[in-house]
Amino acid sequence: MLSGSMQAHLKGRLGTAAALNPKACAAAGQSGMQSLYEVLFSQYHLACSQILTSDTDFRVPQIRANVKETILALLKVGIIPVVNENDVVSQRQVPLTDADERIAWDNDSLASLVAQEVGVDCMIVLTDTVGLYDPSTKALVHEYASKQPWMFAPSSRVGPLGQQDKVLACVTAVNSGLVQAAVLAPAAPGSIVDVVDGKTIGTLFSASPGSLLELDVGSSKL
């Protein structure tokens, strides 16, 4: 979509085979992306905004405070902030890929940082699987216990690397003490509402007071 946006801006003058700078493509695609957000949110009579940030912003106290202040100010007046990684200034040059060349952008760790900064009650991480599985029973793990072995389905288009990033984001968020719970849930209609309503869906992560949730790093896929 972003390279297509660059071509649209240039009206095809470079040709389809031209090598385009990924960060320039990201910049060219932002207006189209925001327009898409506005169209989709407007269908539900909601207003939205866009915040571009990166993990490096959270290392600078004043910038981190600005991000938090902006998010809370938008929510106060009923505008939903859509937070995305700022690919233009990001130090990462290419997306992370696994052995099967499946892409794993690191928006999950960014979501964890934002959730911690704002102090949300529950962080919901959507994925294309139903959650984590127990490696011995192959049953869905509804609540992850510290050091519990876990597996994930191989059908995910983001692959093992992407799924591990999502799990790590959940564990990091709850271990911060700033986020009460995190849920790894399927990206399906009604999933977010189900989580908010307290229904059993996906895999829940929560840390007990005074203890950290430890992740079993020896996990593998089904």
Side-chain angles (χ1 to χ4, degrees):
M1 177 178 180
L2 298 183
S3 60
S5 295
M6 176 69 87
Q7 291 287 358
H9 279 287
L10 296 172
K11 302 186 185 304
R13 291 195 298 271
L14 288 182
T16 57
L20 300 176
N21 182 290
K23 295 184 181 300
C25 289
Q30 286 306 321
S31 57
M33 186 68 74
Q34 183 59 22
S35 296
L36 177 60
Y37 288 147
E38 291 177 354
V39 169
L40 295 175
F41 276 85
S42 66
Q43 294 180 20
Y44 297 92
H45 307 288
L46 297 172
C48 70
S49 61
Q50 186 181 49
I51 296 177
L52 297 178
T53 186
S54 66
D55 58 346
T56 55
D57 291 336
F58 289 85
R59 301 172 190 170
V60 182
Q62 186 57 57
I63 296 179
R64 190 172 71 242
N66 290 344
V67 172
K68 177 180 180 179
E69 181 181 0
T70 301
I71 291 175
L72 294 179
L74 288 167
L75 291 174
K76 187 175 182 179
V77 296
I79 299 176
I80 299 175
V82 179
V83 183
N84 276 320
E85 183 176 31
N86 191 340
D87 295 323
V88 174
V89 300
S90 173
Q91 297 183 29
R92 184 173 59 250
Q93 297 298 316
V94 295
L96 303 173
T97 57
D98 63 13
D100 297 320
E101 296 300 316
R102 286 178 290 195
I103 293 177
W105 286 109
D106 198 22
N107 272 322
D108 300 305
S109 64
L110 181 60
S112 180
L113 288 171
V114 172
Q116 293 173 55
E117 191 62 33
V118 179
V120 302
D121 294 327
C122 180
M123 180 181 77
I124 303 173
V125 177
L126 298 178
T127 182
D128 56 358
T129 63
V130 296
L132 301 183
Y133 293 88
D134 184 294
S136 58
T137 65
K138 302 299 188 293
L140 179 66
V141 176
H142 290 296
E143 183 170 1
Y144 183 79
S146 192
K147 296 183 179 180
Q148 178 180 359
W150 57 275
M151 307 175 83
F152 48 83
S155 58
S156 172
R157 64 180 176 82
V158 298
L161 185 59
Q163 291 297 335
Q164 288 172 359
D165 284 343
K166 293 178 184 298
V167 173
L168 184 59
C170 291
V171 172
T172 302
V174 298
N175 279 344
S176 69
L178 302 172
V179 178
Q180 296 183 23
V183 177
L184 185 65
S191 286
I192 295 178
V193 175
D194 287 343
V195 172
V196 174
D197 286 344
K199 295 181 180 179
T200 301
I201 179 174
T203 300
L204 171 68
F205 297 81
S206 61
S208 302
S211 64
L212 297 178
L213 190 64
E214 296 186 52
L215 183 64
D216 179 8
V217 296
S219 60
S220 61
K221 62 184 179 181
L222 286 172

